[in-house]
Amino acid sequence: MSKCEQCIVRQFSSLKALNKEELLRMADCKTSYTIKKGEPIFEEGETVNGVYCIKEGVCKMTKLSDNGKDQIVKLVKSGELLGQRSMISDEPANLSAVALEDMEVCFIPRSEVMGFFNNNNQFSMNVMKTICDDLKDSDSHMVNMAQKTVKQRLADTLIYLEETFGVNEDKSLHIQLSREELAGMIGTATESCIRLLSELNKLGYIALTGKKITLLDKNKLKRLQ
Amino acid sequence: MSKCEQCIVRQFSSLKALNKEELLRMADCKTSYTIKKGEPIFEEGETVNGVYCIKEGVCKMTKLSDNGKDQIVKLVKSGELLGQRSMISDEPANLSAVALEDMEVCFIPRSEVMGFFNNNNQFSMNVMKTICDDLKDSDSHMVNMAQKTVKQRLADTLIYLEETFGVNEDKSLHIQLSREELAGMIGTATESCIRLLSELNKLGYIALTGKKITLLDKNKLKRLQ
DNA sequence: TTTAAAATATGATATTTGTCATACTTTAAT
DNA sequence: ATTAAAGTATGACAAATATCATATTTTAAA
């Protein structure tokens, strides 16, 4: 069993507030999992009974819409925690978590995390601030969905992907999403997403080479109507 | 100065966890305001420095979109608190709060609420659960904005308004929103909203009499494509 | 390696939604 | 009571987006 104390990613989440003793306790009760690309960590409606700490990899948080399409609500990367809201609300998961790359995650049982939560003020404050940030992001996201065109949302999303997940040596977006997944992020039909990517490509704002997307003119992307 | 102890609406919010002593302290430091219909309680970007408890009336929480339109993110009614997220994040308001009816609200300074928050476990847990509920609602709302048609969103909203705010003796919706505000809730142009209301009226699913809207067939509204 | 399946791309077309113009109705101010 | 302003309604049209069909390319399985 690896030591949480020596795990780098805990520095990036609410867990950074835990002290040595708490970290030892956590190392003792955690379970590590390897999740293959495309596999779920948990599904909407499932009782999770703990939180997952992402050690490696990126996952999408999705929600099934009434029309049968999966909407991607957010992306979560290494260092972040999954299932905090469900833990506090003591409710089943509202979203599914599915690996976009091979992942390594650690599961920490609810009882343990709630212990930290109740006894470590800094930890609980961190968790709450994270949830508050999520709420703010979600509200803004909602307004964008309601008020912006698909083209604007695509441009916003491409810029978000570059800023959040970085680029490869050839400047292409590091994170690899299928066209269907990208459409699921911006909330549109896959064909519309592909068509708009082609359009931005022809305009010279982005470059498409195979599956790779490279942003060439972020200012023009931002100013799209 | 009226006594918080005798105020009925505190039972409906996180404040129900406060004990007698805390209620006395709150009564001592609170400020009561009357807000006229159409007036703001606070605006997006403003530092609020406390929470508002709604004693009477309903307000809309709005966010200005890049395209200049006001999106209504949620409606808040008597018994609920405003500004909890900003208080915990220690950030300016993310949304504006504007009265939809004449309102009575009480302002409780941040320092006081944070005192309760840090010393009363049940109160802080209530606040957090409220914020978690808001997050869940916001995520669902976002998916609806991304995936449902304007007509479906209008139907959903009408049903929500009836279920949340009730009806008058003549069965018409109790809450009065202008067409522009209704459009701002569903995220569409005012003309589109008016046109779709007319369509639902012609179909016999709703009745329009002056400003009043009456739902006649909720099942058919729910099943709209 | 071959081959089937999945992903990407694009055209044709239908539908939805937004915009602008204008008329009518209600509300509120003088 | 009169009048201006705001709100509601509807037509005409343009733009955005979805859907269906089909071709091409890529991926992964046998």
Side-chain angles (χ1 to χ4, degrees), chain A residues 11-214:
Chain A
Q11 304 285 358
F12 304 121
S13 73
S14 306
L15 298 171
K16 64 173 173 250
L18 300 190
N19 60 35
K20 271 196 176 181
E21 185 207 342
E22 288 166 327
L23 287 171
L24 287 172
R25 201 131 50 84
M26 190 164 72
D28 235 32
C29 69
K30 77 165 203 288
T31 326
S32 298
Y33 295 102
T34 300
I35 317 270
K36 288 258 170 63
K37 179 176 176 170
E39 285 180 356
I41 304 175
F42 54 79
E43 308 251 28
E44 187 181 345
E46 202 176 291
T47 300
V48 178
N49 256 313
V51 298
Y52 289 88
C53 176
I54 304 184
K55 202 167 167 184
E56 189 62 49
V58 178
C59 70
K60 56 180 178 183
M61 308 295 297
T62 67
K63 190 167 175 68
L64 191 60
S65 171
D66 291 346
N67 66 10
K69 285 190 189 171
D70 261 325
Q71 174 70 29
I72 297 182
V73 171
K74 64 178 297 201
L75 302 182
V76 191
K77 60 180 179 177
S78 63
E80 296 186 79
L81 299 182
L82 299 180
Q84 300 179 90
R85 191 209 64 86
S86 295
M87 185 192 66
I88 291 179
S89 292
D90 197 11
E91 282 177 351
N94 186 40
L95 307 172
S96 300
V98 178
L100 287 177
E101 319 168 336
D102 291 350
M103 298 181 77
E104 286 179 47
V105 303
C106 294
F107 176 77
I108 309 151
R110 183 184 150 87
S111 57
E112 200 68 20
V113 190
M114 283 310 283
F116 302 150
F117 191 83
N118 290 322
N119 299 311
N120 182 328
N121 238 301
Q122 187 57 54
F123 175 69
S124 54
M125 209 61 201
N126 286 349
V127 171
M128 282 181 297
K129 285 196 177 176
T130 306
I131 292 173
C132 285
D133 286 348
D134 284 350
L135 175 57
K136 190 178 161 189
D137 289 346
S138 183
D139 281 343
S140 300
H141 204 163
M142 195 211 3
V143 175
N144 287 340
M145 288 296 185
Q147 299 285 351
K148 291 192 175 182
T149 65
V150 174
K151 200 186 289 183
Q152 290 173 317
R153 272 142 53 196
L154 171 59
D156 287 352
T157 301
L158 292 174
I159 291 168
Y160 161 79
L161 291 176
E162 178 169 311
E163 287 177 351
T164 309
F165 300 101
V167 294
N168 300 311
E169 323 77 56
D170 62 357
K171 304 280 176 61
S172 65
L173 295 186
H174 185 258
I175 191 166
Q176 290 258 5
L177 296 172
S178 69
R179 301 295 191 254
E180 191 179 1
E181 284 168 331
L182 194 53
M185 281 193 79
I186 65 185
T188 191
T190 307
E191 298 95 321
S192 299
C193 175
I194 290 171
R195 226 179 285 275
L196 288 171
L197 282 172
S198 292
E199 193 185 326
L200 296 181
N201 186 28
K202 277 170 197 147
L203 284 168
Y205 297 179
I206 67 174
L208 300 174
T209 35
K211 270 187 175 283
K212 290 187 172 176
I213 301 174
T214 310

Side-chain angles (χ1 to χ4, degrees), chain B residues 67-96:
Chain B
N67 66 10
K69 284 190 188 170
D70 262 323
Q71 174 70 30
I72 297 181
V73 171
K74 65 179 296 200
L75 302 181
V76 190
K77 61 179 178 178
S78 63
E80 296 186 80
L81 299 183
L82 299 180
Q84 299 179 91
R85 191 209 63 86
S86 295
M87 186 193 65
I88 290 178
S89 292
D90 197 12
E91 283 177 351
N94 185 41
L95 307 171
S96 300

Side-chain angles (χ1 to χ4, degrees), chain B:
Chain B
M1 190 172 311
S2 66
K3 290 176 184 169
C4 295
E5 237 186 301
Q6 285 157 19
C7 181
I8 260 180
V9 303
R10 80 178 155 83
Q11 305 285 359
F12 304 122
S13 72
S14 306
L15 298 171
K16 64 174 171 248
L18 300 190
N19 60 35
K20 270 196 176 181
E21 185 207 343
E22 288 166 326
L23 288 170
L24 287 173
R25 201 131 50 85
M26 189 163 73
D28 236 32
C29 69
K30 76 165 205 288
T31 326
S32 298
Y33 295 100
T34 300
I35 317 269
K36 289 257 170 65
K37 179 177 176 170
E39 285 180 356
I41 304 174
F42 55 78
E43 308 251 29
E44 188 181 344
E46 202 176 291
T47 300
V48 177
N49 256 313
V51 299
Y52 289 88
C53 176
I54 304 183
K55 201 167 168 183
E56 188 63 49
V58 178
C59 71
K60 56 180 178 183
M61 307 296 296
T62 66
K63 190 166 175 67
L64 191 60
S65 171
D66 291 346
N67 66 10
K69 284 190 188 170
D70 262 323
Q71 174 70 30
I72 297 181
V73 171
K74 65 179 296 200
L75 302 181
V76 190
K77 61 179 178 178
S78 63
E80 296 186 80
L81 299 183
L82 299 180
Q84 299 179 91
R85 191 209 63 86
S86 295
M87 186 193 65
I88 290 178
S89 292
D90 197 12
E91 283 177 351
N94 185 41
L95 307 171
S96 300
V98 178
L100 286 176
E101 319 169 335
D102 291 350
M103 298 180 77
E104 286 179 48
V105 302
C106 295
F107 176 78
I108 310 151
R110 183 183 149 88
S111 57
E112 201 69 19
V113 191
M114 283 309 284
F116 302 150
F117 191 83
N118 291 322
N119 298 311
N120 183 328
N121 238 300
Q122 188 57 56
F123 175 69
S124 55
M125 209 61 200
N126 287 348
V127 170
M128 282 180 297
K129 286 196 175 173
T130 306
I131 291 173
C132 285
D133 286 348
D134 284 350
L135 175 57
K136 189 178 162 189
D137 290 345
S138 184
D139 281 343
S140 300
H141 204 163
M142 199 229 324
V143 175
N144 288 340
M145 288 297 184
Q147 299 284 351
K148 292 192 174 181
T149 65
V150 174
K151 200 185 287 184
Q152 289 173 318
R153 272 142 52 196
L154 172 60
D156 287 352
T157 302
L158 292 174
I159 291 168
Y160 161 80
L161 291 175
E162 179 169 312
E163 288 177 350
T164 310
F165 301 101
V167 295
N168 301 310
E169 323 77 57
D170 63 356
K171 304 279 175 65
S172 64
L173 295 185
H174 182 68
I175 191 166
Q176 291 259 1
L177 295 172
S178 69
R179 300 297 192 253
E180 191 179 1
E181 285 168 331
L182 194 52
M185 281 194 79
I186 64 184
T188 191
T190 307
E191 297 95 320
S192 298
C193 175
I194 290 172
R195 224 179 288 273
L196 288 171
L197 282 172
S198 293
E199 192 184 325
L200 297 181
N201 186 28
K202 277 169 197 150
L203 283 168
Y205 298 178
I206 68 174
L208 300 174
T209 36
K211 271 186 176 286
K212 291 186 171 176
I213 301 175
T214 311
L215 308 197
L216 300 176
D217 194 332
K218 272 181 273 185
N219 285 325
K220 287 204 176 136
L221 283 176
K222 274 177 194 155
R223 281 192 236 110
L224 274 177
Q225 291 296 346

